[in-house]
Amino acid sequence: MIGREALYMNGKKLRYGLVFFVLTTLIYMLMELRYGLPIRALRPKHYAAAAVLAVYSCLIHSRRAGASSGYARELFLGYQNKPGRIVYMDYLRVLAALLVILVHVLEPAYALLPPHTFTRNVMAASAGLGLSCNLLFMMLSGALLLGGKEESVLEFYSRRFVRVLIPCFAYYLFYFFYVEGISALSPGNGGSLIQSFLSNDSGQTPHFWLVYIILMFYVAAPFFRIMLKHMTEPILEALTAVIIILHFIYTYGPLVRVEFAASAFLASWDSIFLLGYYCTTQSAMKHYRLFMTAGLLSGLAIAAAIMASESLGPLVYNNAPPQMLFTCAVFLFFRKHGDSLFARIPTLLSAIGRYSFSILLVHWLVLHRIVDDVFGINGLSFGIAGGIPASFLLTLIISLALAFLYDNTVVLCMDRACEILFGALGRVRKRPPNM
């Protein structure tokens, strides 16, 4: 009996040692990948730094695994078919992540094709429709935040806002490291890094514009939640109508020389989050056929406008009314069939959904710095039929792998450091004053 216990403990130690070795090696390879392939000869200092990060990560994972059953499965595969989970939203996360990669594969590819050709027009129109990914990310944030459980403003900021801010900052640092090396992350550069992050002026993360809009909405979300919960259905429908009408006026008014001296909040990107909440209500489902019809016509309008002239793109995509209505129709379609077609999600899609936000953050670097620069593959490498799928799949696979590794090491440790900090601040607040 004792021999069996000893054998079990030795086997457990061996497994832990193997996990630690593999994790350390993967972190080290991620650090060295910035220098290109093949990986350079072993650098002991870099490997030691990777080992320290791996130790802290393993300790945090070990503690969290002890308090949660099925922790490892959720870590790898996401919250697959978990009771009470809104599965159709997981599908929408996956769709948004796939579309953002596809759009960024298509855009540089069709830009190299001769203008006014059928192939270029189709690719441009596909990219225009694919830009609904931006609205999907926003609407999902609005749907989940504004319809969530009640909590204090301080609790919301310390739990939800920080949980989004940390990965954004962590991935911003990753871009700095990958482009400029470890010296860019030295403690002496802390102030300039924070300033650069706040203004997004590095030039390395143009796609982070969407992230900053999401962050700014998180600042306002707890107040909008209270406002929306006290709205009657007619008032909510009126708000939705005003949002759509104002977007029409601000988008197309300048074409007939109708412009306004001030911008309107309900005609800005922020109103897209409110539409996301609206799409989760019964009121939206009452108008399902109307939204489907408007969405279909809007999709055709987007494709036709871009195929006619790419200069018309700003009038039909981004937060222009056609893209808004098209994305609302997509959202409501998945919701409508959430209990049938989208009631269960396959394992691979669940994993992509689990790391969809991180894929959004890291895919730009993967596409341009790894897939294109290191592997020399882009949307036209093997012709359009071969290059686009190859570039898309390779970007998706590497982005998912990097997101899994980075989220569960660097982001995890930064998140834990913030937990300790907020815990200490909370204890200070609760400490009774000295008598």
Side-chain angles (χ1 to χ4, degrees), residues 204-422:
Q204 306 297 334
T205 53
H207 63 298
F208 267 44
W209 70 268
L210 173 62
V211 174
Y212 287 95
I213 291 177
I214 293 175
L215 284 173
M216 289 301 99
F217 180 75
Y218 266 71
V219 174
F223 310 105
F224 279 114
R225 177 188 294 176
I226 296 172
M227 178 186 75
L228 291 170
K229 284 186 179 297
H230 289 82
M231 280 190 179
T232 62
E233 182 175 305
I235 294 297
L236 182 59
E237 290 186 339
L239 173 64
T240 303
V242 168
I243 289 173
I244 295 174
I245 291 170
L246 283 178
H247 275 273
F248 265 101
I249 294 173
Y250 274 80
T251 302
Y252 303 120
L255 297 178
V256 291
R257 298 182 180 179
V258 176
E259 298 189 44
F260 297 91
S263 60
F265 169 79
L266 294 179
S268 69
W269 277 107
D270 300 86
S271 61
I272 306 300
F273 295 91
L274 303 182
L275 284 181
Y277 170 79
Y278 175 73
C279 285
T280 64
T281 65
Q282 285 301 116
S283 176
M285 295 308 295
K286 292 179 181 178
H287 306 293
Y288 179 77
R289 291 186 178 180
L290 177 61
F291 273 106
M292 288 298 105
T293 303
L296 176 60
L297 295 176
S298 296
L300 294 174
I302 293 170
I306 296 175
M307 292 181 74
S309 174
E310 292 175 28
S311 64
L312 297 177
L315 297 178
V316 291
Y317 57 62
N318 288 331
N319 61 336
Q323 192 75 280
M324 291 170 53
L325 295 171
F326 176 74
T327 309
C328 285
V330 171
F331 194 108
L332 291 174
F333 175 80
F334 277 81
R335 183 188 170 192
K336 172 77 171 180
H337 301 284
D339 295 328
S340 53
L341 294 176
F342 308 114
R344 299 184 64 82
I345 188 168
T347 299
L348 177 59
L349 296 186
S350 179
I352 295 173
R354 169 73 169 79
Y355 295 99
S356 59
F357 188 62
S358 297
I359 290 173
L360 164 67
L361 295 173
V362 80
H363 81 280
W364 185 269
L365 182 144
V366 172
L367 175 61
H368 296 289
R369 297 283 180 173
I370 299 178
V371 175
D372 195 351
D373 291 351
V374 177
F375 294 109
I377 297 175
N378 57 54
L380 300 178
S381 293
F382 316 108
I384 296 172
I388 291 175
S391 183
F392 170 80
L393 290 174
L394 197 55
T395 301
L396 174 62
I397 293 169
I398 297 176
S399 296
L400 178 59
L402 281 180
F404 173 80
L405 179 60
Y406 201 70
D407 277 14
N408 292 299
T409 53
V410 176
V411 176
L412 177 76
C413 291
M414 292 177 68
D415 184 59
R416 179 55 183 160
C418 284
E419 284 182 359
I420 294 173
L421 175 62
F422 280 112

